[in-house]
Amino acid sequence: MVIDYARMGRMSPAIENSAVPAGQAVANDYDGFAEAYAAETEANLINGYYTRPAILDLAGDVAGRRILDVGCGAGPLLAALREKGAIVTGVDPSVKMLDLARQRLGEGAALHQAGLGGAPLPFPDGAFDDAIVCLVLHYLEDWKAPLADLRRVLAPGGRLIVAVNHPLVYKLLYPDAGYFAIREYSEDYTFSGQSAVLTYWHRPLHAMTDAFTAAGFRIAVISEPRPAPGAHELFPDLLKEADSTMLCFLFFVLEAV
């Protein structure tokens, strides 16, 4: 599979996270490009026609369910879940992303500045029926404490729905790098003409599944979905190769046990 990041709105990836020269974008600084990111990802291929529809499909009937969206960003997934009858709460570490989410959802929306990998989530035990963590965990080196905290805020039998960078994509991008090591790497992006740097942690599939089960989850679904209906008509050049129907991400539905 050949992944053309330039045509997907990304610039060439650069392995390892190095010091950023003065004037360049700071890694994972969503406050620095919140509006550009929100505009770019509202209806693009990867977000609008792949990850978001895949999450909604995996979530199924959510009417009446209490759902936490971790890394909610500007709130498009929260809005879609609310339209389906869910009782939604969003958290994000970016103040500017939360401002955009509040503009979308209204002043009364349950939005909190919080994230994974730091202080515990600001909710009591068993507060949610589902938690959605879409394209967030791959920013973290250590998954133990974040997954334990997510398990804590879920009711017994609750679901954790996760989307992460597909571990095979790292090996395709960096064929000389080791697959089995947990390793940091960075990529440069362009969102609506604004440059940004995102830094990730690659981990092999078995490290993901081991972390899930150690945190008290049962793996119910592992999915490599195809794009949503209409994607091939809107993005024919990006999707003309059969292998590109797997767009770089891996999805899990986990049940709290």
Side-chain angles (χ1 to χ4, degrees), residues 58 162 164 166-167 205-206 208-209 212 218-225 249-254:
L58 290 169
V162 172
V164 292
H166 200 298
L205 178 58
H206 75 86
M208 297 182 188
T209 57
F212 294 145
R218 182 181 74 84
I219 300 171
V221 176
I222 299 177
S223 178
E224 297 169 311
F249 304 114
L250 192 59
F251 297 76
F252 299 87
V253 178
L254 311 167

Side-chain angles (χ1 to χ4, degrees), residues 7-174:
R7 297 173 66 205
M8 289 187 180
R10 306 183 184 187
M11 296 183 289
S12 300
I15 197 166
E16 299 295 354
N17 186 26
S18 57
V20 179
Q24 288 192 12
V26 176
N28 301 343
D29 176 24
Y30 275 88
D31 275 338
F33 53 86
E35 291 185 1
Y37 179 87
E40 178 81 15
T41 60
E42 183 71 26
N44 68 349
L45 171 60
I46 288 178
N47 299 84
Y49 284 84
Y50 187 59
T51 55
R52 201 177 308 136
I55 291 289
L56 291 170
D57 183 61
L58 290 169
D61 182 5
V62 296
R65 295 185 71 83
R66 303 164 299 165
I67 300 182
L68 174 66
D69 183 3
V70 179
C72 66
L77 182 59
L78 284 173
L81 291 165
R82 190 171 69 175
E83 288 177 5
K84 292 178 175 289
I87 303 162
V88 297
T89 299
V91 298
D92 200 284
S94 167
V95 172
K96 291 188 177 179
M97 281 294 191
L98 290 174
D99 287 344
L100 294 172
R102 194 166 287 108
Q103 292 172 29
R104 182 193 298 267
L105 299 167
E107 287 298 324
L111 298 170
H112 305 265
Q113 186 183 9
L116 296 176
L121 293 167
F123 308 108
D125 296 0
F128 300 99
D129 300 305
D130 299 318
I132 295 173
V133 185
C134 183
L135 308 184
V136 173
L137 283 174
H138 50 222
Y139 293 132
L140 306 177
E141 179 182 10
D142 182 12
W143 286 14
K144 183 176 181 180
L147 288 174
D149 201 29
L150 289 165
R151 174 64 186 85
R152 178 187 65 79
V153 301
L154 283 171
R159 301 180 302 173
L160 175 60
I161 303 174
V162 172
V164 292
N165 284 343
H166 200 298
L168 287 181
V169 171
Y170 174 78
K171 188 64 176 175
L172 291 167
L173 289 173
Y174 310 113

